[in-house]
Amino acid sequence: SRKGADKMTEYRECLEFLYSTLATQNKKNIELTESTRMVADIGLSSLEVMEFIEKIEDHFDISIPLNILPDVNTIGELAKKVGELNP
């Protein structure tokens, strides 16, 4: 279905945005993939995670509920959540 294709494109675009936004905080210069863990692999502090979330909210004009954050460890999981929140 066309809708499914749109969602996939949105997911890809979201991933690209997350990768480029995280690039500045990727101090270890690891390769960023969907399975990269933001805290465990990149080493983001809780403050950096909050700043990152704010950038995503501004960019996509959405509000990310903080209670989902414990369940979102990887870049791919975050991109999926953004897709769900993005109407």
Side-chain angles (χ1 to χ4, degrees):
S1 76
R2 186 72 205 116
K3 189 89 189 105
D6 285 349
K7 274 287 169 215
M8 202 59 219
T9 308
E10 269 176 37
Y11 176 71
R12 287 267 150 244
E13 286 170 2
C14 182
L15 270 182
E16 290 306 316
F17 175 76
L18 299 185
Y19 291 150
S20 62
T21 306
L22 278 172
T24 56
Q25 294 172 303
N26 184 6
K27 297 172 195 75
K28 299 176 190 166
N29 281 323
I30 57 172
E31 185 192 355
L32 299 178
T33 68
E34 288 169 75
S35 56
T36 303
R37 295 168 302 174
M38 293 172 285
V39 175
D41 296 332
I42 301 172
L44 295 185
S45 69
S46 21
L47 179 64
E48 286 171 323
V49 170
M50 295 312 300
E51 289 170 349
F52 181 44
I53 295 295
E54 280 176 20
K55 287 177 189 165
I56 299 165
E57 290 180 327
D58 289 348
H59 181 83
F60 291 102
D61 196 25
I62 56 173
S63 179
I64 298 174
L66 298 181
N67 62 344
I68 69 159
L69 292 182
D71 302 323
V72 176
N73 295 303
T74 67
I75 297 174
E77 288 167 350
L78 182 57
K80 280 195 189 77
K81 281 290 178 204
V82 170
E84 288 164 18
L85 295 164
N86 209 356

Coordinates of all heavy atoms in Angstrom, one line a residue:
S1 N 0.8 -1.2 0.0 CA 0.0 0.0 0.0 C 0.9 1.2 0.0 O 2.0 1.2 0.5 CB -0.9 0.0 1.2 OG -0.2 0.4 2.4
R2 N 0.3 2.3 -0.6 CA 1.1 3.6 -0.7 C 1.4 4.1 0.7 O 2.5 4.6 1.0 CB 0.2 4.6 -1.4 CG 0.8 5.9 -1.7 CD 1.9 5.7 -2.8 NE 2.9 6.8 -2.7 CZ 4.1 6.7 -2.4 NH1 4.6 5.5 -2.2 NH2 4.9 7.7 -2.3
K3 N 0.4 3.9 1.7 CA 0.6 4.4 3.0 C 1.9 3.8 3.7 O 2.7 4.5 4.3 CB -0.6 4.1 3.9 CG -0.6 4.8 5.2 CD -1.3 6.2 5.2 CE -1.1 6.9 6.5 NZ -0.1 7.9 6.5
G4 N 2.0 2.5 3.5 CA 3.2 1.8 4.0 C 4.5 2.3 3.4 O 5.4 2.5 4.2
A5 N 4.5 2.7 2.1 CA 5.7 3.2 1.5 C 6.0 4.6 2.1 O 7.1 4.9 2.3 CB 5.4 3.3 0.0
D6 N 5.0 5.4 2.3 CA 5.2 6.7 2.9 C 5.8 6.6 4.3 O 6.7 7.3 4.6 CB 3.8 7.5 3.0 CG 3.4 8.0 1.6 OD1 4.2 7.9 0.7 OD2 2.2 8.4 1.5
K7 N 5.3 5.6 5.1 CA 5.8 5.5 6.4 C 7.3 5.1 6.4 O 8.1 5.5 7.2 CB 5.0 4.4 7.2 CG 3.7 4.9 7.8 CD 4.1 5.7 9.1 CE 2.9 6.5 9.7 NZ 3.3 7.8 10.2
M8 N 7.6 4.2 5.4 CA 9.0 3.8 5.3 C 9.9 4.9 4.9 O 11.0 5.1 5.5 CB 9.1 2.7 4.2 CG 10.3 1.8 4.3 SD 10.3 0.9 5.9 CE 12.1 1.0 6.2
T9 N 9.4 5.8 4.0 CA 10.2 7.0 3.6 C 10.4 7.9 4.8 O 11.4 8.4 5.1 CB 9.4 7.7 2.5 OG1 9.1 6.8 1.5 CG2 10.3 8.9 1.9
E10 N 9.3 8.1 5.6 CA 9.3 8.9 6.8 C 10.4 8.4 7.7 O 11.1 9.1 8.3 CB 8.0 8.9 7.5 CG 7.1 10.1 7.0 CD 5.7 10.0 7.7 OE1 5.6 9.6 8.9 OE2 4.7 10.3 7.0
Y11 N 10.3 7.1 7.9 CA 11.3 6.4 8.8 C 12.7 6.6 8.4 O 13.6 7.0 9.2 CB 10.9 4.9 8.9 CG 11.9 4.1 9.8 CD1 11.9 4.2 11.2 CD2 12.8 3.2 9.2 CE1 12.7 3.5 12.0 CE2 13.7 2.5 10.0 CZ 13.6 2.6 11.4 OH 14.5 1.9 12.2
R12 N 13.0 6.5 7.1 CA 14.3 6.7 6.6 C 14.7 8.2 6.8 O 15.9 8.4 7.2 CB 14.4 6.4 5.1 CG 14.3 5.0 4.8 CD 15.7 4.3 4.6 NE 15.7 3.0 5.0 CZ 16.3 2.4 6.1 NH1 17.1 3.2 6.8 NH2 16.2 1.2 6.4
E13 N 13.8 9.1 6.5 CA 14.2 10.5 6.6 C 14.4 10.8 8.1 O 15.3 11.6 8.4 CB 13.0 11.4 6.1 CG 13.0 11.4 4.6 CD 11.7 12.1 4.0 OE1 10.9 12.6 4.8 OE2 11.6 12.1 2.8
C14 N 13.6 10.2 9.0 CA 13.8 10.4 10.4 C 15.2 9.9 10.8 O 15.9 10.6 11.6 CB 12.7 9.8 11.2 SG 12.8 10.0 12.9
L15 N 15.5 8.7 10.4 CA 16.8 8.1 10.7 C 18.0 9.1 10.3 O 18.9 9.3 11.0 CB 17.0 6.8 10.0 CG 16.6 5.5 10.7 CD1 16.9 4.3 9.9 CD2 17.2 5.4 12.1
E16 N 17.8 9.6 9.0 CA 18.9 10.5 8.5 C 19.0 11.7 9.4 O 20.1 12.2 9.7 CB 18.6 11.0 7.1 CG 18.7 9.9 6.0 CD 20.1 9.2 6.1 OE1 21.1 9.9 6.2 OE2 20.1 7.9 6.0
F17 N 17.9 12.3 9.8 CA 17.9 13.4 10.7 C 18.6 13.1 12.1 O 19.4 13.8 12.6 CB 16.5 14.0 11.0 CG 16.5 15.1 12.0 CD1 16.9 16.4 11.6 CD2 16.0 14.9 13.3 CE1 16.9 17.4 12.6 CE2 16.1 15.9 14.2 CZ 16.5 17.2 13.9
L18 N 18.2 11.9 12.6 CA 18.8 11.5 13.9 C 20.3 11.3 13.8 O 21.1 11.7 14.6 CB 18.1 10.2 14.4 CG 16.6 10.2 14.6 CD1 16.1 8.9 15.2 CD2 16.3 11.4 15.6
Y19 N 20.7 10.7 12.6 CA 22.1 10.4 12.4 C 22.9 11.8 12.4 O 23.9 12.0 13.0 CB 22.4 9.7 11.1 CG 22.0 8.2 11.1 CD1 21.6 7.6 9.9 CD2 21.9 7.5 12.3 CE1 21.2 6.3 9.9 CE2 21.5 6.1 12.3 CZ 21.1 5.6 11.1 OH 20.7 4.3 11.0
S20 N 22.4 12.7 11.6 CA 23.1 14.0 11.4 C 23.1 14.8 12.7 O 24.1 15.4 13.0 CB 22.5 14.8 10.2 OG 21.2 15.1 10.5
T21 N 22.0 14.7 13.4 CA 21.9 15.4 14.7 C 22.9 14.8 15.7 O 23.6 15.5 16.5 CB 20.5 15.4 15.3 OG1 19.6 16.0 14.3 CG2 20.4 16.3 16.5
L22 N 23.0 13.5 15.7 CA 23.8 12.8 16.7 C 25.3 12.9 16.3 O 26.2 12.7 17.2 CB 23.4 11.3 16.8 CG 22.3 11.0 17.7 CD1 21.9 9.6 17.6 CD2 22.6 11.4 19.2
A23 N 25.6 13.2 15.1 CA 27.0 13.2 14.6 C 27.8 14.2 15.5 O 29.0 13.9 15.8 CB 27.0 13.6 13.1
T24 N 27.2 15.3 15.9 CA 28.0 16.3 16.7 C 28.3 15.7 18.1 O 29.2 16.2 18.7 CB 27.2 17.6 16.8 OG1 25.9 17.3 17.3 CG2 27.0 18.2 15.4
Q25 N 27.4 14.8 18.5 CA 27.6 14.3 19.9 C 28.3 12.9 19.9 O 28.5 12.3 20.9 CB 26.2 14.2 20.6 CG 25.6 15.6 20.8 CD 24.2 15.5 21.3 OE1 23.3 14.9 20.6 NE2 23.9 16.1 22.4
N26 N 28.6 12.4 18.7 CA 29.2 11.1 18.6 C 30.8 11.2 18.8 O 31.6 11.1 17.9 CB 28.9 10.6 17.2 CG 29.4 9.2 17.0 OD1 29.9 8.5 17.9 ND2 29.3 8.7 15.7
K27 N 31.1 11.4 20.1 CA 32.5 11.7 20.4 C 33.4 10.5 20.1 O 34.6 10.7 19.9 CB 32.6 12.1 21.9 CG 31.9 13.4 22.2 CD 31.9 13.6 23.7 CE 30.8 14.7 24.1 NZ 29.4 14.2 24.0
K28 N 32.9 9.3 20.2 CA 33.7 8.1 19.9 C 33.8 7.8 18.4 O 34.5 6.9 18.0 CB 33.1 6.9 20.6 CG 33.0 7.0 22.2 CD 32.3 5.8 22.8 CE 32.0 6.1 24.2 NZ 31.0 5.0 24.7
N29 N 33.1 8.6 17.6 CA 33.1 8.4 16.2 C 32.8 7.0 15.8 O 33.4 6.4 14.9 CB 34.5 8.8 15.6 CG 34.6 10.3 15.4 OD1 33.6 11.0 15.1 ND2 35.7 10.9 15.7
I30 N 31.8 6.4 16.4 CA 31.3 5.1 16.0 C 30.4 5.2 14.9 O 29.8 6.3 14.6 CB 30.6 4.3 17.2 CG1 29.4 5.2 17.7 CG2 31.6 4.1 18.3 CD1 28.6 4.4 18.7
E31 N 30.3 4.1 14.1 CA 29.3 4.1 13.0 C 27.9 4.1 13.6 O 27.6 3.3 14.4 CB 29.6 2.9 12.1 CG 28.7 2.9 10.9 CD 28.6 1.6 10.1 OE1 29.4 0.7 10.5 OE2 27.9 1.5 9.1
L32 N 27.1 5.0 13.1 CA 25.7 5.1 13.6 C 24.8 4.2 12.8 O 24.8 4.4 11.5 CB 25.2 6.6 13.6 CG 26.0 7.5 14.5 CD1 25.4 8.9 14.4 CD2 26.0 7.1 15.9
T33 N 24.1 3.3 13.4 CA 23.2 2.5 12.7 C 21.9 2.4 13.5 O 21.8 3.0 14.6 CB 23.7 1.0 12.6 OG1 23.7 0.4 13.9 CG2 25.1 0.9 12.0
E34 N 20.9 1.7 13.0 CA 19.6 1.6 13.7 C 19.7 1.0 15.0 O 19.0 1.2 15.9 CB 18.6 0.8 12.8 CG 18.1 1.6 11.6 CD 17.3 0.7 10.7 OE1 16.2 0.4 11.0 OE2 17.9 0.4 9.6
S35 N 20.7 0.1 15.2 CA 20.9 -0.6 16.4 C 21.9 0.1 17.4 O 22.2 -0.5 18.5 CB 21.3 -2.1 16.2 OG 22.5 -2.1 15.4
T36 N 22.4 1.2 17.0 CA 23.3 2.0 17.9 C 22.5 2.4 19.1 O 21.5 3.1 19.0 CB 23.9 3.2 17.2 OG1 24.6 2.7 16.0 CG2 24.9 3.9 18.1
R37 N 23.0 2.2 20.3 CA 22.4 2.6 21.5 C 22.9 4.0 21.9 O 24.1 4.2 22.0 CB 22.6 1.6 22.7 CG 22.0 0.2 22.4 CD 22.5 -0.8 23.3 NE 23.9 -1.0 23.2 CZ 24.7 -1.7 24.0 NH1 24.1 -2.5 24.9 NH2 26.0 -1.8 23.9
M38 N 21.9 4.9 22.2 CA 22.3 6.3 22.4 C 23.1 6.5 23.6 O 24.1 7.3 23.6 CB 21.0 7.2 22.3 CG 20.4 7.2 21.0 SD 18.8 8.0 20.9 CE 17.8 6.7 21.7
V39 N 22.8 5.8 24.7 CA 23.5 6.0 26.0 C 24.6 5.0 26.1 O 25.8 5.4 26.3 CB 22.5 5.9 27.2 CG1 23.3 5.9 28.5 CG2 21.5 7.0 27.1
A40 N 24.4 3.7 25.8 CA 25.4 2.7 26.0 C 26.5 2.8 25.0 O 27.7 2.6 25.3 CB 24.8 1.3 26.0
D41 N 26.2 3.1 23.7 CA 27.2 3.1 22.7 C 27.8 4.5 22.4 O 29.0 4.7 22.4 CB 26.6 2.6 21.3 CG 26.2 1.1 21.5 OD1 26.8 0.4 22.3 OD2 25.3 0.7 20.7
I42 N 26.9 5.5 22.3 CA 27.4 6.9 22.0 C 27.9 7.5 23.3 O 28.8 8.4 23.3 CB 26.3 7.7 21.3 CG1 25.9 7.0 20.0 CG2 26.8 9.1 21.0 CD1 24.7 7.7 19.3
G43 N 27.2 7.2 24.4 CA 27.6 7.7 25.7 C 27.0 9.1 26.0 O 27.5 9.9 26.7
L44 N 25.8 9.3 25.5 CA 25.0 10.5 25.8 C 24.7 10.5 27.3 O 24.3 9.5 27.9 CB 23.7 10.6 25.0 CG 23.8 10.7 23.5 CD1 22.4 10.9 22.9 CD2 24.7 11.8 23.0
S45 N 24.8 11.7 27.9 CA 24.4 11.9 29.2 C 22.9 12.2 29.2 O 22.3 12.4 28.2 CB 25.1 13.1 29.8 OG 24.6 14.3 29.2
S46 N 22.3 12.1 30.4 CA 20.8 12.4 30.4 C 20.5 13.8 29.9 O 19.5 14.0 29.2 CB 20.2 12.1 31.8 OG 21.2 12.2 32.8
L47 N 21.4 14.7 30.2 CA 21.1 16.1 29.7 C 21.2 16.1 28.1 O 20.4 16.7 27.5 CB 22.2 17.1 30.3 CG 22.0 18.5 29.8 CD1 20.7 19.1 30.2 CD2 23.2 19.4 30.3
E48 N 22.2 15.4 27.6 CA 22.4 15.4 26.1 C 21.2 14.7 25.5 O 20.7 15.1 24.4 CB 23.7 14.6 25.8 CG 24.9 15.5 26.0 CD 26.2 14.7 25.9 OE1 26.2 13.5 26.2 OE2 27.2 15.3 25.4
V49 N 20.7 13.6 26.2 CA 19.5 13.0 25.6 C 18.3 13.9 25.6 O 17.6 14.0 24.6 CB 19.1 11.7 26.5 CG1 17.7 11.2 26.1 CG2 20.2 10.6 26.3
M50 N 18.1 14.7 26.6 CA 17.0 15.7 26.7 C 17.2 16.7 25.6 O 16.2 17.1 24.9 CB 17.0 16.4 28.1 CG 16.7 15.5 29.2 SD 15.2 14.4 28.9 CE 14.0 15.6 28.7
E51 N 18.4 17.2 25.4 CA 18.7 18.2 24.3 C 18.4 17.6 22.9 O 17.8 18.3 22.1 CB 20.1 18.7 24.4 CG 20.3 19.6 25.6 CD 21.8 19.9 25.8 OE1 22.7 19.3 25.2 OE2 22.1 20.8 26.7
F52 N 18.8 16.4 22.8 CA 18.5 15.7 21.5 C 17.0 15.5 21.3 O 16.6 15.8 20.2 CB 19.2 14.3 21.6 CG 19.1 13.4 20.4 CD1 19.3 14.0 19.1 CD2 18.8 12.1 20.5 CE1 19.2 13.2 18.0 CE2 18.7 11.3 19.4 CZ 18.9 11.8 18.1
I53 N 16.3 15.1 22.3 CA 14.8 15.0 22.2 C 14.2 16.3 21.8 O 13.3 16.4 20.9 CB 14.2 14.5 23.5 CG1 14.7 13.0 23.8 CG2 12.7 14.5 23.5 CD1 14.3 12.0 22.9
E54 N 14.7 17.4 22.4 CA 14.2 18.8 22.1 C 14.4 19.1 20.6 O 13.5 19.7 20.0 CB 14.8 19.8 23.0 CG 14.2 19.9 24.3 CD 14.9 20.9 25.2 OE1 15.6 21.8 24.7 OE2 14.8 20.8 26.5
K55 N 15.6 18.8 20.1 CA 15.9 19.0 18.7 C 14.9 18.3 17.8 O 14.4 18.8 16.8 CB 17.3 18.7 18.3 CG 18.3 19.6 18.9 CD 19.7 19.1 18.6 CE 20.8 19.9 19.3 NZ 22.1 19.3 19.3
I56 N 14.6 17.0 18.2 CA 13.7 16.2 17.4 C 12.3 16.8 17.4 O 11.6 16.9 16.4 CB 13.7 14.7 17.9 CG1 15.1 14.1 17.8 CG2 12.7 13.9 17.2 CD1 15.2 12.9 18.6
E57 N 11.9 17.2 18.6 CA 10.5 17.8 18.8 C 10.4 19.0 17.9 O 9.4 19.2 17.3 CB 10.3 18.1 20.3 CG 10.1 16.8 21.1 CD 9.8 17.1 22.6 OE1 10.3 18.2 23.1 OE2 9.1 16.4 23.2
D58 N 11.4 19.9 18.0 CA 11.4 21.1 17.2 C 11.3 20.8 15.7 O 10.5 21.4 14.9 CB 12.6 22.0 17.5 CG 12.5 22.6 18.9 OD1 11.5 22.5 19.5 OD2 13.6 23.1 19.3
H59 N 12.2 19.9 15.2 CA 12.3 19.6 13.8 C 11.0 19.0 13.3 O 10.6 19.4 12.2 CB 13.5 18.6 13.6 CG 13.7 18.3 12.2 ND1 14.4 19.1 11.3 CD2 13.3 17.2 11.4 CE1 14.4 18.5 10.1 NE2 13.7 17.4 10.2
F60 N 10.4 18.1 14.0 CA 9.2 17.4 13.5 C 7.9 18.0 14.0 O 6.8 17.5 13.7 CB 9.3 15.9 13.9 CG 10.4 15.1 13.1 CD1 11.6 14.8 13.7 CD2 10.2 14.8 11.8 CE1 12.6 14.1 13.0 CE2 11.2 14.1 11.1 CZ 12.4 13.8 11.7
D61 N 8.0 19.0 14.9 CA 6.9 19.6 15.5 C 6.0 18.6 16.2 O 4.8 18.5 15.9 CB 6.1 20.4 14.4 CG 5.1 21.4 15.1 OD1 5.4 21.8 16.2 OD2 4.1 21.7 14.4
I62 N 6.6 17.8 17.0 CA 5.9 16.8 17.8 C 6.3 16.9 19.3 O 7.2 17.7 19.6 CB 6.2 15.4 17.4 CG1 7.7 15.1 17.4 CG2 5.6 15.1 16.0 CD1 8.1 13.7 17.2
S63 N 5.6 16.3 20.1 CA 5.9 16.2 21.5 C 6.2 14.8 21.9 O 5.4 13.9 21.7 CB 4.7 16.8 22.4 OG 5.1 16.7 23.7
I64 N 7.4 14.5 22.4 CA 7.8 13.1 22.8 C 7.6 13.0 24.3 O 8.2 13.6 25.1 CB 9.2 12.9 22.4 CG1 9.4 13.0 20.9 CG2 9.7 11.5 22.9 CD1 10.8 12.9 20.4
P65 N 6.6 12.1 24.7 CA 6.4 11.9 26.1 C 7.6 11.2 26.8 O 8.2 10.3 26.3 CB 5.2 10.9 26.2 CG 5.0 10.4 24.8 CD 5.8 11.2 23.8
L66 N 8.0 11.8 27.9 CA 9.3 11.4 28.5 C 9.1 9.9 29.1 O 10.1 9.2 29.2 CB 9.6 12.3 29.7 CG 9.9 13.7 29.3 CD1 10.3 14.6 30.4 CD2 11.1 13.7 28.2
N67 N 7.9 9.5 29.3 CA 7.7 8.1 29.8 C 8.1 7.0 28.8 O 8.2 5.9 29.2 CB 6.3 7.9 30.4 CG 5.3 8.1 29.3 OD1 5.5 8.6 28.2 ND2 4.1 7.6 29.6
I68 N 8.2 7.4 27.6 CA 8.7 6.4 26.6 C 10.2 6.2 26.6 O 10.7 5.2 26.1 CB 8.2 6.7 25.1 CG1 8.9 7.9 24.6 CG2 6.7 6.9 25.1 CD1 8.9 8.0 23.1
L69 N 10.9 7.2 27.1 CA 12.4 7.1 27.0 C 13.0 5.9 27.6 O 14.0 5.4 27.0 CB 13.0 8.4 27.6 CG 12.7 9.7 26.7 CD1 13.4 10.9 27.4 CD2 13.1 9.5 25.3
P70 N 12.5 5.3 28.7 CA 13.2 4.1 29.2 C 13.1 3.0 28.2 O 13.9 2.0 28.2 CB 12.4 3.8 30.5 CG 11.9 5.1 30.9 CD 11.6 5.9 29.6
D71 N 12.1 3.0 27.3 CA 11.9 1.9 26.3 C 12.6 2.1 25.0 O 12.5 1.3 24.1 CB 10.4 1.7 26.1 CG 9.6 1.4 27.3 OD1 10.2 0.7 28.2 OD2 8.5 1.9 27.4
V72 N 13.2 3.3 24.9 CA 13.9 3.7 23.6 C 15.4 3.7 23.9 O 15.9 4.7 24.4 CB 13.3 5.1 23.2 CG1 14.1 5.5 21.9 CG2 11.8 5.0 22.9
N73 N 16.1 2.7 23.4 CA 17.5 2.6 23.6 C 18.3 2.9 22.3 O 19.4 3.5 22.4 CB 17.9 1.2 24.1 CG 17.3 1.0 25.5 OD1 17.6 1.8 26.4 ND2 16.5 0.0 25.7
T74 N 17.8 2.5 21.2 CA 18.5 2.6 20.0 C 18.0 3.7 19.1 O 16.8 4.2 19.3 CB 18.5 1.3 19.2 OG1 17.1 1.1 18.7 CG2 18.9 0.1 20.0
I75 N 18.8 4.1 18.1 CA 18.4 5.1 17.2 C 17.2 4.6 16.4 O 16.2 5.4 16.1 CB 19.5 5.4 16.2 CG1 20.7 6.0 17.0 CG2 19.1 6.4 15.1 CD1 22.0 6.3 16.2
G76 N 17.2 3.3 16.0 CA 16.0 2.8 15.3 C 14.7 2.8 16.0 O 13.7 3.2 15.5
E77 N 14.8 2.5 17.3 CA 13.6 2.5 18.2 C 13.1 4.0 18.3 O 11.9 4.2 18.3 CB 13.9 2.0 19.6 CG 14.1 0.5 19.6 CD 14.7 0.0 21.0 OE1 15.2 0.8 21.8 OE2 14.8 -1.2 21.1
L78 N 14.0 4.9 18.4 CA 13.6 6.3 18.5 C 12.9 6.8 17.2 O 11.9 7.4 17.2 CB 14.8 7.2 18.8 CG 14.5 8.7 19.0 CD1 13.5 8.9 20.1 CD2 15.8 9.4 19.4
A79 N 13.5 6.4 16.1 CA 12.9 6.8 14.8 C 11.5 6.2 14.6 O 10.6 6.9 14.1 CB 13.8 6.3 13.6
K80 N 11.3 4.9 15.1 CA 10.0 4.3 15.0 C 9.0 5.1 15.9 O 7.9 5.4 15.5 CB 10.0 2.9 15.5 CG 10.5 1.9 14.5 CD 10.2 0.5 14.9 CE 10.9 -0.5 14.0 NZ 12.3 -0.7 14.3
K81 N 9.4 5.5 17.1 CA 8.6 6.3 18.0 C 8.2 7.6 17.4 O 7.0 8.1 17.4 CB 9.3 6.6 19.3 CG 9.2 5.4 20.3 CD 7.8 5.1 20.8 CE 7.8 3.9 21.7 NZ 6.5 3.3 21.8
V82 N 9.2 8.3 16.8 CA 8.9 9.6 16.1 C 7.9 9.4 15.0 O 7.0 10.2 14.8 CB 10.2 10.2 15.6 CG1 9.9 11.4 14.7 CG2 11.1 10.6 16.7
G83 N 8.0 8.3 14.3 CA 7.1 8.0 13.2 C 5.7 7.8 13.7 O 4.7 8.2 13.1
E84 N 5.6 7.1 14.9 CA 4.2 6.9 15.5 C 3.6 8.2 16.0 O 2.4 8.4 15.9 CB 4.4 5.9 16.7 CG 4.7 4.5 16.3 CD 5.2 3.7 17.4 OE1 5.0 4.1 18.6 OE2 5.8 2.6 17.2
L85 N 4.5 9.1 16.4 CA 4.0 10.4 17.0 C 3.7 11.4 15.9 O 2.9 12.3 16.1 CB 5.0 11.0 18.0 CG 5.2 10.2 19.2 CD1 6.5 10.6 19.9 CD2 4.1 10.3 20.2
N86 N 4.3 11.2 14.7 CA 4.2 12.1 13.6 C 3.0 11.8 12.8 O 2.9 10.7 12.2 CB 5.5 12.0 12.7 CG 5.8 13.3 12.0 OD1 5.0 14.3 12.1 ND2 6.9 13.3 11.3
P87 N 1.9 12.6 12.8 CA 0.6 12.2 12.2 C 0.8 12.1 10.7 O 1.6 12.7 10.1 CB -0.3 13.3 12.5 CG 0.5 14.5 13.0 CD 1.8 13.9 13.4

